[in-house]
Amino acid sequence: MSTLRSRVLGVCNQCLSVSPSRLITRAQSASAQPFVQADFLKGSPHRKHPGVTNLKVQRLPDELQRGALYIVKNAQINDLAERAQRLSNFLWSRKRKVEDAQLRAKAMALENTMRSALPEGEDGELEMRIRRRVLHDLKKTTYHWTPLRYDEELGVVYMASRLAGGYAAIRRAMHEIKKRDPSFLPHSLLDFGSGLGAVVWASHSVWADCLREMVCVDSSGAMNELADRLLRGGDEHGKAFIDNVYFRQFLPVSPKVQFDLVVGAHSLSELGSNKERQEATLTLWRKTGSYLVLVENGTKEGHSILMEARDTILKNQDKVVYDHRKPSVFAPCTHALPCPKMQSLSIPCNFVQTYHPLPLTKGQDTQQEKFSYLILSRMGPAGQGVEHPGAGAGAGAGAGAGAGAGALEWARLTAPVMRRPRRVHCQLCCSDGELRQPVITARLHGRDTYRCARSSDWGDRLPVTSAEDEDDIPFQSDQEPL
């Protein structure tokens, strides 16, 4: 009896030791559950809820891989694997060209610093010394950007280095459109900076039944020829596996010509100035009928280029407008505000896709492509859903599952999910433009949301419209439901 009394008194003393403010915080956290739609699962199991956009390990289509290996075998390039790795490292570390205005400002700052540090002397001699020092320091500290000129040999090295990874990233972005908007049936495709034609193969794997015209634009004639050979299995005289693919070196001139799907993969980063990138971005948007997809490396540079492109399109005011539908951010952002991950953590918002590389050697392991992407859509007159003019039967009936305004309120997982007993630690980019790190539990967020969180991963969306920070989650008992 005394033992039981001591246990009861011990529990009571623990309750009394909790501060009133902590009790209020717990009560508020328990009551502020992020409710979701009752039918958000739409009959799907939790592991396949509408927010899942991740793909399994990607492989190149068999015809594309056979054609690439055939070209590699006949090219007979020495040390191909080593050269491919060096090119991959170079492209990953590649930065934008420093703008002339930035270079002048940097030179003036260096000059002012040196004037205060150098001893006084003859004016002419001092000016020469300062000029030499400024030029020397600028050469040492400024990134030397040079345009890449692809010939046939470098194109083969690029194919060995980037074909499989680029295909995996593009395939992932297109899969999200297909899943969230199944009514979208594109008839036409424009690929800006098409390179090896990975966009054509990825789009064909998703919408093979409806695509009727695919235009590939690349300034390199050698890359266009190599992409055409890949379509023919490596033999320039063979039959193309995908029909109605047209290669051009310049974009269509008419501003009235639009394509249902416009893609620019690793192309904006190859332009030499901010002005060129802005002009290319606006041109691509004017030619977009439904969706614009941009993909870049998952680095700070790549992510910054995409954010600049997003702001350019959202803030643009054309004097002459041929398509009055407004742009809307479809993915991965859940808002049109500045990126909270870059602002608060100085980390680019990127994602990963596992893939099988081109089998140049035996026993190659799977690799991960880290990329950043941006998908913009054309909104209807009232901003409700996505319109697809001329994109197939039923396409103009509004957004598909998850493509409406309610879906944009879902949060995006921007880091790997940490699964723990009875709780899931997440990093979420929410629709209010805030980056939060909630702990999803069945008691606070509901069983369905909790099980969806356990089944989700980096890049997926969660049906959580508001989330508590990790510090506001009260202690969970061992009896909490799984």
Side-chain angles (χ1 to χ4, degrees), residues 17-31:
S17 64
V18 179
S19 63
S21 61
R22 184 60 177 169
L23 289 175
I24 294 174
T25 302
R26 293 184 180 183
Q28 290 177 344
S29 297
S31 62

Side-chain angles (χ1 to χ4, degrees), residues 147-150 191-195 216-225 247-251 267 270-271:
L148 285 173
R149 306 297 183 188
Y150 286 96
D191 181 9
F192 175 69
S194 54
C216 298
V217 179
D218 198 292
S219 60
S220 172
M223 290 295 274
N224 286 337
E225 293 176 4
F247 294 95
R248 302 286 186 269
Q249 288 187 283
F250 304 97
L251 284 167
S267 54
E270 293 301 322
L271 299 179

Side-chain angles (χ1 to χ4, degrees), residues 361-380:
T361 59
K362 294 182 179 179
Q364 284 183 301
D365 296 329
T366 58
Q367 298 179 9
Q368 284 191 330
E369 175 74 4
K370 184 173 286 188
F371 65 99
S372 297
Y373 72 106
L374 173 68
I375 303 178
L376 297 172
S377 63
R378 291 275 188 188
M379 297 300 294

Side-chain angles (χ1 to χ4, degrees), residues 148-420:
L148 285 173
R149 306 297 183 188
Y150 286 96
D151 55 15
E152 184 177 355
E153 182 174 327
L154 185 57
V156 175
V157 176
Y158 181 83
M159 180 180 66
S161 171
R162 298 293 305 132
L163 178 60
Y167 172 85
I170 298 164
R171 180 71 174 78
R172 165 78 172 274
M174 292 185 174
H175 169 72
E176 179 160 0
I177 298 176
K178 176 69 174 179
K179 179 164 185 177
R180 291 176 57 189
D181 191 2
S183 65
F184 176 58
L185 303 174
H187 284 172
S188 57
L189 164 73
L190 174 64
D191 181 9
F192 175 69
S194 54
L196 299 170
V199 170
V200 168
W201 290 91
S203 59
H204 183 265
S205 67
V206 179
W207 296 290
D209 296 334
C210 58
L211 277 171
R212 299 292 180 266
E213 179 189 18
M214 289 169 275
V215 178
C216 298
V217 179
D218 198 292
S219 60
S220 172
M223 290 295 274
N224 286 337
E225 293 176 4
L226 190 57
D228 185 59
R229 288 178 60 189
L230 287 172
L231 286 174
R232 303 174 188 277
D235 185 3
E236 59 184 6
H237 301 295
K239 187 180 184 303
F241 291 106
I242 303 175
D243 296 326
N244 303 317
V245 180
Y246 308 96
F247 294 95
R248 302 286 186 269
Q249 288 187 283
F250 304 97
L251 284 167
V253 176
S254 175
K256 297 181 181 180
V257 175
Q258 285 191 326
F259 298 81
D260 298 328
L261 179 64
V262 177
V263 183
H266 306 285
S267 54
L268 293 180
S269 55
E270 293 301 322
L271 299 179
S273 67
N274 185 44
K275 182 179 179 181
E276 289 183 62
R277 287 190 294 271
Q278 288 182 352
E279 291 176 351
T281 299
L282 292 176
T283 300
L284 294 179
W285 177 246
R286 294 184 189 109
K287 296 191 176 301
T288 299
S290 293
Y291 286 103
L292 171 62
V293 180
L294 301 175
V295 180
E296 293 291 343
N297 287 333
T299 60
K300 282 187 177 182
E301 289 291 313
H303 178 255
S304 298
I305 289 173
L306 294 181
M307 293 298 98
E308 289 176 359
R310 186 191 71 167
D311 294 341
T312 297
I313 294 175
L314 294 180
K315 297 177 182 178
N316 181 57
Q317 297 290 337
D318 280 333
K319 294 182 179 179
V320 180
V321 180
Y322 296 98
D323 192 333
H324 293 274
R325 293 172 299 161
K326 300 297 183 181
S328 173
V329 181
F330 183 82
C333 309
T334 56
H335 53 82
L337 301 171
C339 177
K341 190 172 183 180
M342 180 65 83
Q343 283 194 329
S344 60
L345 303 178
S346 296
I347 298 175
C349 184
N350 51 29
F351 308 91
V352 294
Q353 177 59 53
T354 308
Y355 68 96
H356 289 281
L358 197 64
L360 300 176
T361 59
K362 294 182 179 179
Q364 284 183 301
D365 296 329
T366 58
Q367 298 179 9
Q368 284 191 330
E369 175 74 4
K370 184 173 286 188
F371 65 99
S372 297
Y373 72 106
L374 173 68
I375 303 178
L376 297 172
S377 63
R378 291 275 188 188
M379 297 300 294
Q384 298 177 352
V386 183
E387 284 193 349
H388 318 304
L408 294 179
E409 296 180 359
W410 287 27
R412 176 79 61 173
L413 287 162
T414 57
V417 174
M418 293 186 294
R419 300 171 183 85
R420 299 292 183 264

Side-chain angles (χ1 to χ4, degrees), residues 35-87:
F35 293 107
V36 297
Q37 299 176 7
D39 60 343
F40 76 92
L41 286 172
K42 302 184 184 300
S44 303
H46 294 93
R47 69 179 183 278
K48 296 182 180 180
H49 68 84
V52 174
T53 57
N54 272 287
L55 290 173
K56 296 180 179 179
V57 182
Q58 288 295 290
R59 294 180 181 271
L60 290 174
D62 292 338
E63 299 86 354
L64 177 58
Q65 181 164 299
R66 285 197 297 267
L69 293 177
Y70 179 84
I71 293 174
V72 167
K73 181 179 178 181
N74 292 320
Q76 297 181 349
I77 298 177
N78 296 328
D79 301 325
L80 179 59
E82 182 180 347
R83 291 183 61 182
Q85 185 60 51
R86 288 202 302 267
L87 179 60

Side-chain angles (χ1 to χ4, degrees), residues 7 11 88 132 171 198-199 285 330 367 371 423 451 471:
R7 289 181 180 177
V11 173
S88 180
R132 286 196 296 267
R171 180 71 174 78
V199 170
W285 177 246
F330 183 82
Q367 298 179 9
F371 65 99
R423 63 182 65 197
R451 293 186 65 181
D471 294 339

